[in-house]
Amino acid sequence: MPITIADVAARAKVSKTTVSRVLNGKGELDESTAARVRAVIEELGYVPSARAVNLARGRTRVVAMLVPSLTWPWMGEVVQGAVDVLEAEEYGLLLFTCNRGEDSMRQFGAQVAAKSFDGLLVIEPEGTLDYIATLHARGLPMVLIDDRDQMSGQIPSVGTTNHIGAGSAARHLIEVGRHRPLMITGPSRFGCTQQRRDGFAAVYAEAGHPIGEERILLGDFTFEQGAEGIHRAIAAGIDFDAVFCHNDVSAAGAMQALLEHGRRIPEDVSVVGFDDIPMAAHTQPPLTTVHQPMREMGEAAARALLSHFEGTPLPNRPTIIPATFTVRESTVC
């Protein structure tokens, strides 16, 4: 049978509360009593529950992470970044997805009510923003990652430079002589979609090549919509020599559709994506793309929470980690 705190208390002839105080270094205790308890702990080989000790200290040493799904192409990078920081400080990660909709959120809510974790990292699942804002208002420490610009300045967050990243894609395409771009966007409800659209369009407008609305096609970040955008543009007779997709997955779909229509990449059409997920280096040809620092964003969010636990206030402005640009063969021969 495992040794319990009651066994230690009985052998040392003290209360369980006194044993707990010795373990946690709390309260005024006679030194001889504390020494006797420590000797019994060593004699019996008692190992206290880490969870019990942490709860007694007012901490669980667990951080929760709420995400829409683990199937998103870049999700693993964000989670790994957070895990690297948390494990280095001997914190655990409690991961929640919203794959089962309301059932998933009920399970998450039960863990919130049970105070099963000290703080929360969030990649906002769709439709949960009001609930997340309520938890923040009630005092739950949290950091949003890639907050889609919906709660900017209201909840601590970590993001990247969507507008600047898209602008760098536009400048590169102009440099390689592409003046008639097609843009396949993400969902219009996301702040990052507007930022990427505006950043790309602004650079082209400044260069004297404004992008007409007919060249901006609404997508949804999927392979299928990337391909469908190309099919629609060609069917409509739109003349284009470049495609900027708001993520790499839709860019891969656009590339496949271009090849099906006999368009050569990059000789006839240059293609640029956004994210720089691992797949981007292995498309045919390899994809030029805006690199989102996803792992670094996960690391920064976790560090902010851990610093908060040690007394540093969470930042009241978004923490921005710049995007970079990766050139591959989809834009240059």
Side-chain angles (χ1 to χ4, degrees), residues 248-272:
D248 293 341
V249 174
S250 57
M255 291 171 73
Q256 177 171 298
L258 287 166
L259 295 174
E260 289 174 359
H261 284 279
R263 306 291 179 92
R264 298 172 301 164
I265 305 169
E267 291 85 354
D268 300 323
V269 181
S270 292
V271 181
V272 178

Side-chain angles (χ1 to χ4, degrees), residues 315-327:
N316 55 18
R317 289 186 175 184
T319 299
I320 302 299
I321 303 175
T324 56
F325 195 67
T326 302
V327 177

Side-chain angles (χ1 to χ4, degrees), residues 240-293:
F240 60 93
D241 59 7
V243 182
F244 172 52
C245 294
H246 282 193
N247 76 341
D248 293 341
V249 174
S250 57
M255 291 171 73
Q256 177 171 298
L258 287 166
L259 295 174
E260 289 174 359
H261 284 279
R263 306 291 179 92
R264 298 172 301 164
I265 305 169
E267 291 85 354
D268 300 323
V269 181
S270 292
V271 181
V272 178
F274 204 111
D275 284 340
D276 201 16
I277 60 176
M279 176 199 74
H282 302 288
T283 56
Q284 290 300 321
L287 180 64
T288 293
T289 185
V290 179
H291 175 81
Q292 283 212 88

Side-chain angles (χ1 to χ4, degrees), residues 42 56 95 108 124 168 190 206 208 220 237 245 249 257 265 307:
E42 183 174 353
L95 184 61
F108 172 71
E124 179 228 328
S168 66
F190 292 167
E206 290 168 5
D220 62 2
C245 294
V249 174
I265 305 169
S307 295

Side-chain angles (χ1 to χ4, degrees), residues 20-298:
S20 178
R21 286 176 176 171
V22 171
L23 290 169
N24 296 306
K26 288 186 174 181
E28 296 292 332
L29 286 174
D30 177 72
E31 183 53 38
S32 62
T33 300
R36 186 168 76 252
V37 170
R38 284 192 287 269
V40 170
I41 289 172
E42 183 174 353
E43 174 191 346
L44 296 180
Y46 172 62
V47 179
S49 159
R51 177 173 172 80
V53 171
N54 286 329
L55 286 175
R57 293 173 176 170
R59 296 268 186 87
T60 65
R61 295 195 73 83
V62 173
V63 167
M65 191 168 192
L66 177 64
V67 304
S69 169
L70 294 178
T71 61
W72 286 21
W74 45 259
M75 191 63 69
E77 285 291 299
V78 181
V79 174
Q80 191 61 59
V83 166
D84 288 345
V85 170
L86 295 173
E87 288 187 348
E89 298 298 326
E90 299 183 349
Y91 272 74
L93 179 71
L94 189 58
L95 184 61
F96 297 91
T97 74
C98 284
N99 287 335
R100 295 180 296 110
E102 291 184 3
D103 287 344
S104 294
M105 290 307 296
R106 275 194 291 270
Q107 183 177 355
F108 172 71
Q111 296 301 312
V112 172
K115 298 184 178 178
S116 299
F117 46 86
D118 299 329
L120 179 64
L121 303 174
V122 184
I123 298 174
E124 179 228 328
E126 197 163 352
T128 64
L129 194 58
D130 289 344
Y131 176 55
I132 291 167
T134 298
L135 294 180
H136 177 257
R138 290 176 179 171
L140 178 64
M142 68 173 63
V143 179
L144 297 183
I145 303 171
D146 188 30
D147 75 344
R148 305 174 191 169
D149 206 37
Q150 298 186 73
M151 297 296 292
S152 181
Q154 300 178 51
I155 298 177
S157 66
V158 176
T160 190
T161 49
N162 286 292
H163 190 281
I164 294 172
S168 66
R171 277 187 289 275
H172 172 70
L173 288 172
I174 292 170
E175 287 170 1
V176 297
R178 305 301 186 176
H179 298 155
R180 303 184 307 281
L182 197 69
M183 189 177 351
I184 300 176
T185 76
S188 58
R189 63 185 179 278
F190 292 167
C192 64
T193 294
Q194 191 63 51
Q195 291 168 354
R196 293 172 194 179
R197 170 178 168 152
D198 291 349
F200 188 80
V203 170
Y204 263 93
E206 290 168 5
H209 306 289
I211 301 173
E213 287 297 319
E214 74 281 359
R215 295 181 178 276
I216 302 175
L217 306 178
L218 182 63
D220 62 2
F221 290 147
T222 65
F223 183 97
E224 292 75 16
Q225 279 298 302
E228 177 61 23
I230 297 299
H231 294 318
R232 280 187 285 145
I234 291 176
I238 298 174
D239 180 31
F240 60 93
D241 59 7
V243 182
F244 172 52
C245 294
H246 282 193
N247 76 341
D248 293 341
V249 174
S250 57
M255 291 171 73
Q256 177 171 298
L258 287 166
L259 295 174
E260 289 174 359
H261 284 279
R263 306 291 179 92
R264 298 172 301 164
I265 305 169
E267 291 85 354
D268 300 323
V269 181
S270 292
V271 181
V272 178
F274 204 111
D275 284 340
D276 201 16
I277 60 176
M279 176 199 74
H282 302 288
T283 56
Q284 290 300 321
L287 180 64
T288 293
T289 185
V290 179
H291 175 81
Q292 283 212 88
M294 304 311 301
R295 183 173 295 220
E296 293 88 341
M297 289 163 66

